[in-house]
Amino acid sequence: MAGEEKDEYVHVAFEKACYLKHFVENLFEWVKLDSGEQIFRFELLDLNEVSRNIIADWISVLENSNFEYEFDIPEMEYLMRIDVNAYSRILNNLLQNVLNHSKGNKVIYRISENDQQARITLADNGKGISPSHLPHIFERMYQCDQSRSAKGNGLGLSIVKELVAAHKGTITADSTPDKETIFTILLPKSL
């Protein structure tokens, strides 16, 4: 076996091992959430500051992936009870979903708030989600793209839904094929 061919086999094996590791981690997380074994640590925090800190880590990733971005996060303080790790996972999973599946080149993240709740939207200008797939995207193991080359394992959005529910919130998705997809999270100010 030639050196280049061996290197290619090693590269493919490494990628598959990383995929499997990520899948097993997600599966364990989903099982803990589904069984109610996940322990949450809610703290009274500024949603806007927490969001800015999470989003800041994505700027270089988005730029390296040739994505334009627009972040609209209010400057004023908005205190609510948040589990930082869970909230980070929500945003990270949604942004990773955009990078892996949207085939777009722009993402818009926006927060608006009132006395009762925060409204968080994440939109992209990608290929969208077909009406037949849209009702199922938060189901465990559901994948819109069944091809072998598809990234993801059908757990990311189901984990997001469970983590949003742990904050007593809701998440919905709207999509116009070949135009945009918008995820909307509503989080109540009081748990």
Side-chain angles (χ1 to χ4, degrees):
M1 183 183 296
E4 286 182 19
E5 190 178 359
K6 191 182 296 183
D7 289 346
E8 181 62 25
Y9 277 117
V10 169
H11 177 71
V12 169
F14 179 75
E15 280 191 343
K16 290 193 180 300
C18 288
Y19 171 85
L20 189 58
K21 176 180 180 282
H22 184 63
F23 175 75
V24 169
E25 287 170 350
N26 274 344
L27 189 59
F28 275 124
E29 182 170 2
W30 194 90
V31 167
K32 282 199 320 191
L33 287 167
D34 189 53
S35 66
E37 291 178 18
Q38 180 73 41
I39 296 168
F40 293 98
R41 290 179 176 81
F42 292 98
E43 301 173 80
L44 193 61
L45 299 168
D46 177 4
L47 174 71
N48 296 328
E49 182 183 3
V50 171
S51 299
R52 275 191 291 274
N53 291 339
I54 296 166
I55 291 294
D57 290 338
W58 278 90
I59 290 175
S60 62
V61 176
L62 291 168
E63 289 175 348
N64 290 338
S65 301
N66 298 312
F67 264 79
E68 295 177 35
Y69 51 86
E70 183 182 319
F71 304 139
D72 183 7
I73 303 172
E75 289 297 322
M76 63 183 179
E77 187 176 68
Y78 190 80
L79 292 175
M80 63 183 298
R81 293 183 63 74
I82 303 168
D83 179 300
V84 174
N85 289 333
Y87 183 67
S88 297
R89 187 66 187 261
I90 290 166
L91 296 190
N92 290 338
N93 279 16
L94 288 175
L95 285 161
Q96 194 64 55
N97 194 66
V98 168
L99 287 182
N100 287 351
H101 304 295
S102 76
K103 292 187 166 56
N105 63 2
K106 184 171 185 180
V107 63
I108 300 170
Y109 175 80
R110 182 168 286 128
I111 300 178
S112 59
E113 300 141 342
N114 61 30
D115 291 342
Q116 286 80 41
Q117 67 183 7
R119 177 187 179 93
I120 301 159
T121 58
L122 183 73
D124 68 69
N125 67 343
K127 65 180 181 176
I129 302 167
S130 75
S132 62
H133 288 302
L134 200 56
H136 306 289
I137 60 171
F138 295 108
E139 294 173 7
R140 179 174 52 97
M141 306 297 281
Y142 189 82
Q143 290 180 284
C144 294
D145 186 348
Q146 300 295 331
S147 71
R148 294 177 70 187
S149 63
K151 293 180 181 178
N153 49 45
L155 289 168
L157 291 180
S158 64
I159 288 171
V160 166
K161 184 178 180 183
E162 294 293 330
L163 295 175
V164 169
H167 286 82
K168 305 292 188 237
T170 60
I171 182 167
T172 56
D174 294 294
S175 189
T176 304
D178 300 314
K179 185 179 178 188
E180 68 179 357
T181 299
I182 304 171
F183 287 93
T184 302
I185 299 171
L186 298 177
L187 295 179
K189 185 140 191 192
S190 57
L191 274 177

